[in-house]
Amino acid sequence: MIVLGRIVGPFGIQGWVKVHPFGDDPLDWRKIREWHIAADPEAGDADWKPLKLRTLKAHGKGLIASFVELPDRNAAEAVDGFYLGAAREAMPAPGVDEYYWGDLVGLAVVNQAGVCLGKVNGLMSTGAHDVLQVQDGDLERLIPFVGAYIKDVDLAAAKLTVEWEADW
């Protein structure tokens, strides 16, 4: 399951929810036929419950969405904080040098000298650009996901090469 975003509260009285998107071009997600919802983003596929999207709109810095299964404000309040996702095969193919966050999580991060810096534990959006959260034991490195630092992403080899020193 690819996690698309998180419900951050109800919107209005007709079951709409506010959604914080995790990724670029979230309005393209209107093409996704079947959405899923779960309380835990790491839930197994069986724990994600299907949803049918009625409408998805931009609203401020986020989105608002209406789902068939959320008919009123009480239903929307009950899923506050839940995660929204879609099956990998339902997602549009990423473009050249574009990646889904879920595809990057778990990749080994190696600098150009061959030193392993850890594994991608997550990503965060700072507004200007996304940032890799690289975990190496108790040490966390935050590496901007921009061309100046990201030299190669090899999904097949589960490796990401960066211009980053181990003592930075």
Side-chain angles (χ1 to χ4, degrees):
M1 197 67 56
I2 301 289
V3 179
L4 300 175
R6 188 171 192 182
I7 295 173
V8 293
F11 181 81
I13 61 170
Q14 296 180 344
W16 286 73
V17 292
K18 290 185 263 183
V19 177
H20 173 73
F22 300 158
D24 297 332
D25 301 323
L27 291 179
D28 281 348
W29 300 344
R30 287 184 256 205
K31 299 172 190 168
I32 299 170
R33 295 180 192 264
E34 188 172 282
W35 290 58
H36 293 81
I37 189 168
D40 179 3
E42 302 295 325
D45 287 347
D47 295 323
W48 287 85
K49 305 299 179 213
L51 291 175
K52 182 172 169 82
L53 181 69
R54 276 193 196 138
T55 309
L56 180 71
K57 298 178 182 180
H59 184 76
K61 293 183 180 180
L63 303 169
I64 55 173
S66 173
F67 295 96
V68 171
E69 295 79 5
L70 304 176
D72 56 32
R73 185 172 179 94
N74 290 339
E77 287 175 347
V79 296
D80 188 13
F82 279 51
Y83 292 86
L84 293 169
R88 179 69 169 103
E89 53 275 1
M91 301 294 293
V96 176
D97 291 332
E98 293 182 343
Y99 306 93
Y100 286 113
W101 284 13
D103 292 341
L104 299 175
V105 173
L107 295 184
V109 178
V110 178
N111 70 13
Q112 291 184 308
V115 177
C116 183
L117 302 176
K119 288 192 174 196
V120 178
N121 190 41
L123 287 98
M124 67 174 103
S125 182
T126 63
H129 52 264
D130 297 331
V131 176
L132 295 169
Q133 297 169 286
V134 179
Q135 197 69 41
D136 185 18
D138 292 335
L139 177 65
E140 181 182 59
R141 291 180 176 89
L142 300 176
I143 302 175
F145 195 72
V146 295
Y149 301 112
I150 307 302
K151 297 305 175 187
D152 185 52
V153 178
D154 188 344
L155 296 177
K159 184 174 88 170
L160 200 146
T161 304
V162 297
E163 176 66 38
W164 202 264
E165 296 301 321
D167 57 351
W168 289 359

Short mmCIF file of all heavy atoms in Angstrom, two decimals, residues 1-4 32 34-38 40-50 83-91 100-103:
data_model
loop_
_atom_site.label_atom_id
_atom_site.label_comp_id
_atom_site.label_asym_id
_atom_site.label_seq_id
_atom_site.Cartn_x
_atom_site.Cartn_y
_atom_site.Cartn_z
N MET A 1 0.84 -1.18 0.00
CA MET A 1 0.00 0.00 0.00
C MET A 1 0.89 1.25 0.00
O MET A 1 1.84 1.33 0.76
CB MET A 1 -0.87 -0.04 1.25
CG MET A 1 -2.05 0.86 1.22
SD MET A 1 -3.35 0.46 0.03
CE MET A 1 -3.79 -1.19 0.44
N ILE A 2 0.57 2.20 -0.85
CA ILE A 2 1.28 3.48 -0.89
C ILE A 2 0.47 4.46 -0.05
O ILE A 2 -0.71 4.70 -0.32
CB ILE A 2 1.41 4.02 -2.33
CG1 ILE A 2 2.16 3.04 -3.22
CG2 ILE A 2 2.06 5.40 -2.33
CD1 ILE A 2 3.62 2.92 -2.95
N VAL A 3 1.09 5.02 0.99
CA VAL A 3 0.40 5.99 1.84
C VAL A 3 0.40 7.33 1.12
O VAL A 3 1.45 7.86 0.77
CB VAL A 3 1.08 6.10 3.22
CG1 VAL A 3 0.38 7.12 4.08
CG2 VAL A 3 1.10 4.74 3.92
N LEU A 4 -0.80 7.87 0.90
CA LEU A 4 -0.95 9.11 0.16
C LEU A 4 -1.01 10.34 1.06
O LEU A 4 -0.62 11.42 0.67
CB LEU A 4 -2.23 9.06 -0.68
CG LEU A 4 -2.32 7.94 -1.71
CD1 LEU A 4 -3.68 7.93 -2.36
CD2 LEU A 4 -1.23 8.11 -2.74
N ILE A 32 -7.50 7.81 -9.07
CA ILE A 32 -7.44 6.53 -8.35
C ILE A 32 -8.86 6.08 -8.04
O ILE A 32 -9.62 6.79 -7.40
CB ILE A 32 -6.61 6.68 -7.05
CG1 ILE A 32 -5.18 7.10 -7.40
CG2 ILE A 32 -6.63 5.39 -6.24
CD1 ILE A 32 -4.35 7.49 -6.20
N GLU A 34 -9.91 3.19 -6.32
CA GLU A 34 -10.15 2.64 -4.98
C GLU A 34 -9.10 3.11 -4.00
O GLU A 34 -7.92 2.88 -4.19
CB GLU A 34 -10.18 1.11 -5.00
CG GLU A 34 -10.62 0.54 -3.67
CD GLU A 34 -10.85 -0.95 -3.72
OE1 GLU A 34 -11.90 -1.36 -4.22
OE2 GLU A 34 -9.96 -1.69 -3.26
N TRP A 35 -9.56 3.80 -2.99
CA TRP A 35 -8.71 4.28 -1.91
C TRP A 35 -8.83 3.32 -0.74
O TRP A 35 -9.74 2.50 -0.68
CB TRP A 35 -9.19 5.67 -1.49
CG TRP A 35 -8.93 6.75 -2.48
CD1 TRP A 35 -9.37 6.80 -3.78
CD2 TRP A 35 -8.20 7.94 -2.26
NE1 TRP A 35 -8.95 7.95 -4.38
CE2 TRP A 35 -8.23 8.68 -3.46
CE3 TRP A 35 -7.53 8.47 -1.17
CZ2 TRP A 35 -7.62 9.92 -3.59
CZ3 TRP A 35 -6.93 9.71 -1.31
CH2 TRP A 35 -6.96 10.41 -2.50
N HIS A 36 -7.92 3.47 0.21
CA HIS A 36 -7.96 2.64 1.42
C HIS A 36 -7.66 3.52 2.62
O HIS A 36 -7.01 4.56 2.50
CB HIS A 36 -6.94 1.51 1.33
CG HIS A 36 -7.28 0.50 0.27
ND1 HIS A 36 -6.99 0.70 -1.07
CD2 HIS A 36 -7.89 -0.69 0.34
CE1 HIS A 36 -7.41 -0.34 -1.76
NE2 HIS A 36 -7.96 -1.19 -0.93
N ILE A 37 -8.10 3.07 3.79
CA ILE A 37 -7.90 3.82 5.02
C ILE A 37 -7.45 2.88 6.13
O ILE A 37 -7.91 1.73 6.20
CB ILE A 37 -9.20 4.57 5.42
CG1 ILE A 37 -8.95 5.53 6.58
CG2 ILE A 37 -10.33 3.60 5.73
CD1 ILE A 37 -10.10 6.49 6.83
N ALA A 38 -6.52 3.35 6.97
CA ALA A 38 -6.04 2.56 8.12
C ALA A 38 -5.55 3.51 9.20
O ALA A 38 -5.12 4.63 8.92
CB ALA A 38 -4.91 1.62 7.70
N ASP A 40 -2.96 2.88 11.07
CA ASP A 40 -1.51 2.77 11.14
C ASP A 40 -0.93 2.71 9.72
O ASP A 40 -1.34 1.86 8.93
CB ASP A 40 -1.15 1.49 11.90
CG ASP A 40 0.35 1.24 12.03
OD1 ASP A 40 1.16 2.08 11.59
OD2 ASP A 40 0.71 0.19 12.60
N PRO A 41 0.01 3.60 9.39
CA PRO A 41 0.56 3.57 8.03
C PRO A 41 1.35 2.31 7.72
O PRO A 41 1.57 1.98 6.56
CB PRO A 41 1.45 4.81 7.99
CG PRO A 41 1.84 5.06 9.40
CD PRO A 41 0.65 4.62 10.22
N GLU A 42 1.78 1.59 8.75
CA GLU A 42 2.54 0.35 8.56
C GLU A 42 1.64 -0.89 8.59
O GLU A 42 2.14 -2.01 8.59
CB GLU A 42 3.59 0.23 9.68
CG GLU A 42 4.56 1.39 9.75
CD GLU A 42 5.44 1.53 8.52
OE1 GLU A 42 5.82 0.50 7.94
OE2 GLU A 42 5.72 2.68 8.13
N ALA A 43 0.32 -0.69 8.59
CA ALA A 43 -0.62 -1.81 8.66
C ALA A 43 -0.45 -2.74 7.47
O ALA A 43 -0.08 -2.31 6.37
CB ALA A 43 -2.05 -1.28 8.72
N GLY A 44 -0.74 -4.00 7.69
CA GLY A 44 -0.72 -4.97 6.59
C GLY A 44 -1.87 -4.70 5.64
O GLY A 44 -2.85 -4.03 5.99
N ASP A 45 -1.76 -5.22 4.43
CA ASP A 45 -2.78 -4.96 3.42
C ASP A 45 -4.19 -5.33 3.88
O ASP A 45 -5.15 -4.66 3.53
CB ASP A 45 -2.45 -5.70 2.12
CG ASP A 45 -1.28 -5.06 1.38
OD1 ASP A 45 -0.89 -3.93 1.73
OD2 ASP A 45 -0.76 -5.70 0.45
N ALA A 46 -4.33 -6.38 4.67
CA ALA A 46 -5.64 -6.82 5.14
C ALA A 46 -6.28 -5.81 6.10
O ALA A 46 -7.51 -5.81 6.27
CB ALA A 46 -5.53 -8.18 5.82
N ASP A 47 -5.48 -4.96 6.73
CA ASP A 47 -6.00 -3.99 7.69
C ASP A 47 -6.44 -2.67 7.05
O ASP A 47 -7.00 -1.81 7.71
CB ASP A 47 -4.97 -3.71 8.78
CG ASP A 47 -4.70 -4.94 9.62
OD1 ASP A 47 -5.65 -5.71 9.88
OD2 ASP A 47 -3.53 -5.16 10.00
N TRP A 48 -6.15 -2.48 5.77
CA TRP A 48 -6.57 -1.28 5.05
C TRP A 48 -7.98 -1.52 4.53
O TRP A 48 -8.22 -2.47 3.80
CB TRP A 48 -5.62 -0.99 3.90
CG TRP A 48 -4.29 -0.46 4.33
CD1 TRP A 48 -3.21 -1.19 4.72
CD2 TRP A 48 -3.90 0.91 4.43
NE1 TRP A 48 -2.16 -0.36 5.05
CE2 TRP A 48 -2.57 0.94 4.88
CE3 TRP A 48 -4.55 2.11 4.18
CZ2 TRP A 48 -1.88 2.12 5.08
CZ3 TRP A 48 -3.85 3.29 4.37
CH2 TRP A 48 -2.53 3.29 4.82
N LYS A 49 -8.91 -0.65 4.88
CA LYS A 49 -10.31 -0.78 4.46
C LYS A 49 -10.56 0.07 3.22
O LYS A 49 -10.13 1.23 3.16
CB LYS A 49 -11.26 -0.33 5.58
CG LYS A 49 -11.04 -1.04 6.90
CD LYS A 49 -11.27 -2.53 6.77
CE LYS A 49 -11.01 -3.22 8.10
NZ LYS A 49 -10.47 -4.52 7.98
N PRO A 50 -11.27 -0.48 2.22
CA PRO A 50 -11.50 0.27 0.98
C PRO A 50 -12.47 1.44 1.16
O PRO A 50 -13.39 1.39 1.98
CB PRO A 50 -12.08 -0.78 0.03
CG PRO A 50 -12.61 -1.85 0.91
CD PRO A 50 -11.82 -1.82 2.18
N TYR A 83 -4.80 7.25 8.07
CA TYR A 83 -3.99 7.40 6.87
C TYR A 83 -4.78 6.93 5.65
O TYR A 83 -5.57 5.99 5.74
CB TYR A 83 -2.70 6.60 6.98
CG TYR A 83 -1.78 7.16 8.03
CD1 TYR A 83 -1.91 6.79 9.36
CD2 TYR A 83 -0.81 8.10 7.70
CE1 TYR A 83 -1.08 7.33 10.34
CE2 TYR A 83 0.03 8.64 8.67
CZ TYR A 83 -0.12 8.25 9.99
OH TYR A 83 0.68 8.79 10.95
N LEU A 84 -4.56 7.60 4.53
CA LEU A 84 -5.17 7.22 3.27
C LEU A 84 -4.09 6.63 2.36
O LEU A 84 -2.97 7.12 2.34
CB LEU A 84 -5.79 8.44 2.59
CG LEU A 84 -6.99 9.04 3.32
CD1 LEU A 84 -7.35 10.39 2.72
CD2 LEU A 84 -8.18 8.10 3.26
N GLY A 85 -4.46 5.59 1.65
CA GLY A 85 -3.50 4.95 0.76
C GLY A 85 -4.17 4.37 -0.46
O GLY A 85 -5.39 4.40 -0.59
N ALA A 86 -3.35 3.86 -1.35
CA ALA A 86 -3.83 3.18 -2.55
C ALA A 86 -2.87 2.05 -2.88
O ALA A 86 -1.68 2.11 -2.55
CB ALA A 86 -3.92 4.16 -3.72
N ALA A 87 -3.39 1.05 -3.53
CA ALA A 87 -2.55 -0.06 -3.97
C ALA A 87 -1.51 0.46 -4.97
O ALA A 87 -1.80 1.36 -5.76
CB ALA A 87 -3.40 -1.15 -4.60
N ARG A 88 -0.33 -0.08 -4.93
CA ARG A 88 0.76 0.36 -5.79
C ARG A 88 0.35 0.33 -7.27
O ARG A 88 0.64 1.25 -8.03
CB ARG A 88 2.00 -0.52 -5.55
CG ARG A 88 3.19 -0.17 -6.41
CD ARG A 88 3.73 1.19 -5.97
NE ARG A 88 5.00 1.48 -6.56
CZ ARG A 88 5.16 2.31 -7.58
NH1 ARG A 88 4.13 2.89 -8.13
NH2 ARG A 88 6.35 2.56 -8.05
N GLU A 89 -0.34 -0.73 -7.67
CA GLU A 89 -0.72 -0.87 -9.07
C GLU A 89 -1.80 0.14 -9.49
O GLU A 89 -2.00 0.37 -10.69
CB GLU A 89 -1.16 -2.30 -9.39
CG GLU A 89 -2.23 -2.86 -8.50
CD GLU A 89 -1.71 -3.48 -7.20
OE1 GLU A 89 -0.50 -3.48 -6.94
OE2 GLU A 89 -2.55 -3.97 -6.43
N ALA A 90 -2.47 0.77 -8.55
CA ALA A 90 -3.48 1.78 -8.87
C ALA A 90 -2.88 3.16 -9.09
O ALA A 90 -3.53 4.05 -9.62
CB ALA A 90 -4.51 1.86 -7.75
N MET A 91 -1.63 3.32 -8.71
CA MET A 91 -0.97 4.62 -8.80
C MET A 91 -0.42 4.85 -10.21
O MET A 91 0.03 3.92 -10.86
CB MET A 91 0.19 4.69 -7.80
CG MET A 91 -0.21 4.48 -6.35
SD MET A 91 -1.26 5.76 -5.72
CE MET A 91 -0.12 7.13 -5.72
N TYR A 100 8.02 7.52 -5.65
CA TYR A 100 7.08 7.53 -4.54
C TYR A 100 7.88 7.40 -3.26
O TYR A 100 8.86 6.65 -3.20
CB TYR A 100 6.07 6.38 -4.66
CG TYR A 100 5.04 6.64 -5.73
CD1 TYR A 100 4.99 5.86 -6.88
CD2 TYR A 100 4.12 7.66 -5.59
CE1 TYR A 100 4.05 6.10 -7.86
CE2 TYR A 100 3.17 7.92 -6.57
CZ TYR A 100 3.14 7.14 -7.69
OH TYR A 100 2.21 7.37 -8.67
N TRP A 101 7.46 8.12 -2.23
CA TRP A 101 8.16 8.06 -0.96
C TRP A 101 8.27 6.61 -0.48
O TRP A 101 9.31 6.19 0.01
CB TRP A 101 7.43 8.89 0.09
CG TRP A 101 7.62 10.37 -0.04
CD1 TRP A 101 8.14 11.07 -1.09
CD2 TRP A 101 7.27 11.34 0.94
NE1 TRP A 101 8.12 12.42 -0.81
CE2 TRP A 101 7.58 12.61 0.42
CE3 TRP A 101 6.70 11.26 2.21
CZ2 TRP A 101 7.37 13.78 1.12
CZ3 TRP A 101 6.47 12.44 2.91
CH2 TRP A 101 6.82 13.68 2.37
N GLY A 102 7.20 5.86 -0.64
CA GLY A 102 7.22 4.47 -0.19
C GLY A 102 8.27 3.63 -0.87
O GLY A 102 8.75 2.64 -0.32
N ASP A 103 8.66 4.01 -2.09
CA ASP A 103 9.71 3.28 -2.80
C ASP A 103 11.10 3.60 -2.26
O ASP A 103 12.04 2.83 -2.43
CB ASP A 103 9.68 3.60 -4.30
CG ASP A 103 8.44 3.06 -4.99
OD1 ASP A 103 7.79 2.15 -4.42
OD2 ASP A 103 8.12 3.54 -6.09
#
